[in-house]
Amino acid sequence: MAATWSINQLDYIVSLDSKTNVVNNIHWDCTDEDADGNTGRTYGFQAISTDDLSGFIAYDDITKANAVAWLKAAFGEDGVSDQEAAVAAQIAVLQTPVNGSGSPWAA
């Protein structure tokens, strides 16, 4: 299994330091699936620093790979590992449930 990072949306500042559409927030998903179809997912949004625009990429030229790289850089290695571990833990619980629920009288 290997976690997949998806970008759902980019938020941007319309004008900042003579740049237009400067990305400042990324909405994301981290998912994985095992061979049996059990899935896990974490999601959220992450602020992206706009303090240094020296590596600015025009909004229309941003790729998914750019956005994922920015997201992972903002999380840091530990943050990325934490999200991927949370997804793996969800799958582990589905593989070996620790709780259950139901109505035994309803057949």
Side-chain angles (χ1 to χ4, degrees), residues 2 4-5 13-14 76:
T4 300
W5 289 82
I13 301 168
V14 173

Side-chain angles (χ1 to χ4, degrees), residues 56-99:
F56 177 77
I57 298 174
Y59 187 82
D60 290 341
D61 295 332
I62 297 170
T63 64
K64 176 184 174 185
N66 295 136
V68 169
W70 296 339
L71 174 64
K72 288 183 173 182
F75 269 135
E77 287 184 31
D78 289 342
V80 170
S81 294
D82 289 347
Q83 294 301 324
E84 292 178 353
V87 170
Q90 291 174 18
I91 293 170
V93 167
L94 294 171
Q95 292 169 335
T96 309
V98 294
N99 294 307

Side-chain angles (χ1 to χ4, degrees), residues 5-106:
W5 289 82
S6 300
I7 305 302
N8 302 321
Q9 176 179 310
L10 302 176
D11 297 335
Y12 56 86
I13 301 168
V14 173
S15 181
L16 179 67
D17 294 339
S18 74
K19 309 282 191 228
T20 58
N21 301 340
V22 178
V23 173
N24 66 334
N25 199 32
I26 298 176
H27 299 257
W28 57 271
D29 282 293
C30 180
T31 59
D32 203 352
E33 182 175 354
D34 70 7
D36 295 323
N38 296 308
T39 62
R41 174 180 179 238
T42 59
Y43 61 94
F45 59 90
Q46 175 64 45
I48 302 300
S49 175
T50 58
D51 293 340
D52 179 6
L53 298 179
S54 61
F56 177 77
I57 298 174
Y59 187 82
D60 290 341
D61 295 332
I62 297 170
T63 64
K64 176 184 174 185
N66 295 136
V68 169
W70 296 339
L71 174 64
K72 288 183 173 182
F75 269 135
E77 287 184 31
D78 289 342
V80 170
S81 294
D82 289 347
Q83 294 301 324
E84 292 178 353
V87 170
Q90 291 174 18
I91 293 170
V93 167
L94 294 171
Q95 292 169 335
T96 309
V98 294
N99 294 307
S101 64
S103 301
W105 55 88

